[in-house]
């Protein structure tokens, strides 16, 4: 009888012990879960971990910010995972929906938050326009950037003694994201490196097939970029330039005159064509000393793979489409000029 009672008591104790362990495990599991927050509040929060913070201090900060349920549980969990000594200081963007493993991964990897500024450099901008756009976005002083660019040399191209700026045309037009406070040197290097990435080995081989240096390709591409408004005409306009160069005919491109003048105009006047400048392709034969703007990939590819046509002339239609009339002979070109004038009227 006594033995049966002892067994019943022992069994009851074991049941209570099991229940207690079950409740403890449930409670611990709850504490390990991400903090429950309303869906509208599941946004990122900036958390600052000071230099020299211990794992205890870090755990307390996370609990104070409402990112973990219990600082002690987080600290012991980090120790259990062998990560309590590798948590790094800094500013972190964390969210309430993150579990402990995700938070530990961020802190141990040192994925600190760095405020950034995005800037888009459209195709066809000159170096001066790029500098001004960077200043407008608060990334660099325009004059400082121009001074720096004036001293730099293109990594993939070449310089010419008559070039206005050696870096003109060698900064790739793209959308960039830079850290706040980035240096002008870093911006210049990043944009130049991007151009090198875009200009692939296959493109270099194609340039050699055409008998063109990289500098000549970039110069031609900049002319195409500035002349073409309708993207579908890039290859045709590039073909006109190739055809003229092949027979020693002056390029006579209005965009080079505007670059020589150093100003933007909607229309080039006859008096403008007389400006004495190595960039004036009405005044000199062949290519100008270098690019007149930053060409995009489409313009570069158009130069490398021009359309197979024998056109030598083109004139803007002036009908609102941005397209051109193309001609093989000067007589046809004169007819197209009259058509263009009629469209404008």
């Amino acid at each position: 009888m006594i033995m049966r009672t002892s067994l019943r008591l022992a069994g009851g104790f074991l049941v209570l012990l099991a229940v207690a362990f079950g409740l403890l495990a449930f409670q611990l599991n709850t504490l390990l879960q991400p903090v429950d927050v309303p869906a509208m509040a599941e946004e990122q929060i900036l958390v600052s971990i000071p230099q020299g913070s211990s794992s205890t201090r870090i755990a307390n900060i996370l609990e104070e910010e409402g990112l973990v349920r219990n600082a002690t549980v987080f600290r012991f969990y980090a120790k259990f995972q062998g990560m309590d000594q590798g948590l790094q200081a800094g500013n972190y963007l964390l969210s309430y929906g993150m579990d402990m493993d995700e938070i530990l991964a961020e802190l141990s990897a040192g994925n600190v938050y760095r405020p950034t500024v995005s800037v888009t450099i459209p195709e066809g901008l000159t170096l001066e326009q790029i500098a001004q756009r960077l200043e407008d976005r608060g990334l660099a002083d325009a004059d400082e950037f121009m001074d720096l660019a004036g001293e730099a040399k293109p990594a993939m191209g070449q310089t010419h003694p008559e070039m206005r700026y050696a870096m003109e045309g060698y900064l790739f037009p793209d959308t960039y994201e830079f850290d706040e406070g980035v240096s002008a040197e870093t911006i210049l290097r990043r944009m130049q490196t991007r151009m090198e990435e875009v200009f692939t080995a296959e493109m270099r081989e194609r340039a050699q097939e055409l008998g063109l240096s990289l500098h000549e390709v970039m110069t031609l591409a900049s002319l195409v970029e500035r002349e073409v408004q309708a993207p579908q005409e890039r290859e045709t306009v590039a073909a006109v330039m190739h055809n003229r160069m092949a027979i020693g005919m002056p390029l006579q491109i209005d965009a080079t005159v505007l670059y020589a003048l150093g100003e933007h105009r909607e229309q080039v006047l006859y008096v403008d064509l007389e400006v004495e400048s190595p960039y004036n392709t009405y005044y000199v034969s062949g290519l100008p000393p270098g690019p007149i703007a930053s060409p995009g990939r489409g313009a570069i590819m158009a130069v490398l793979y021009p359309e197979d046509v024998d056109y030598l002339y083109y004139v803007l239609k002036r009908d609102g489409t941005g397209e051109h009339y193309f001609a093989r002979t000067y007589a046809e070109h004169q007819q197209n000029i009259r058509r263009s004038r009629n469209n404008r009227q």
Side-chain angles (χ1 to χ4, degrees), residues 200-219:
T200 63
E202 291 77 12
M203 295 165 72
R204 293 172 186 267
E205 292 176 5
R206 175 59 179 169
Q208 291 181 348
E209 291 175 6
L210 295 175
L212 296 173
S213 68
L214 297 185
H215 188 69
E216 289 170 330
V217 171
M218 297 305 296
T219 301

Side-chain angles (χ1 to χ4, degrees), residues 269-337:
L269 306 176
Y270 283 112
V271 67
D272 297 331
L273 305 182
E274 299 176 2
V275 60
E276 293 188 15
S277 168
Y279 285 95
N280 182 358
T281 53
Y282 284 84
Y283 181 74
V284 298
S285 60
L287 289 171
I292 62 172
S294 289
R297 189 177 187 279
I300 297 173
M301 293 300 290
V303 169
L304 294 175
Y305 298 93
E307 188 176 357
D308 186 15
V309 293
D310 56 357
Y311 296 133
L312 289 173
Y313 305 89
Y314 61 84
V315 63
L316 190 65
K317 291 182 178 180
R318 299 187 185 281
D319 62 353
T321 64
E323 297 178 347
H324 294 85
Y325 292 122
F326 295 90
R328 295 173 177 80
T329 67
Y330 186 69
E332 290 176 353
H333 181 52
Q334 289 298 105
Q335 292 177 355
N336 287 338
I337 291 177

Side-chain angles (χ1 to χ4, degrees), residues 54-108:
S54 64
S55 60
T56 300
R57 176 63 181 137
I58 293 173
N60 288 334
I61 291 174
L62 295 174
E63 182 179 350
E64 290 166 6
E65 296 290 353
L67 287 161
V68 299
R69 296 174 182 272
N70 186 280
T72 302
V73 171
F74 177 85
R75 181 166 59 87
F76 279 108
Y77 185 74
K79 187 176 182 63
F80 174 75
Q81 297 290 345
M83 304 173 72
D84 58 318
Q85 298 301 313
L87 305 182
Q88 302 183 43
N91 297 320
Y92 293 87
L93 270 183
L94 306 175
S95 64
Y96 294 109
M98 299 175 71
D99 60 29
M100 289 190 180
D101 288 320
E102 292 171 326
I103 294 175
L104 285 171
E106 289 293 302
L107 299 183
S108 62

Side-chain angles (χ1 to χ4, degrees), residues 99-133:
D99 60 29
M100 289 190 180
D101 288 320
E102 292 171 326
I103 294 175
L104 285 171
E106 289 293 302
L107 299 183
S108 62
N111 294 329
V112 296
Y113 168 69
R114 292 184 175 87
T116 60
V117 178
S118 179
V119 60
T120 297
I121 307 298
E123 293 88 349
L125 291 193
T126 64
L127 192 62
E128 291 176 340
Q129 290 172 323
I130 291 174
Q132 188 57 55
R133 182 163 288 243

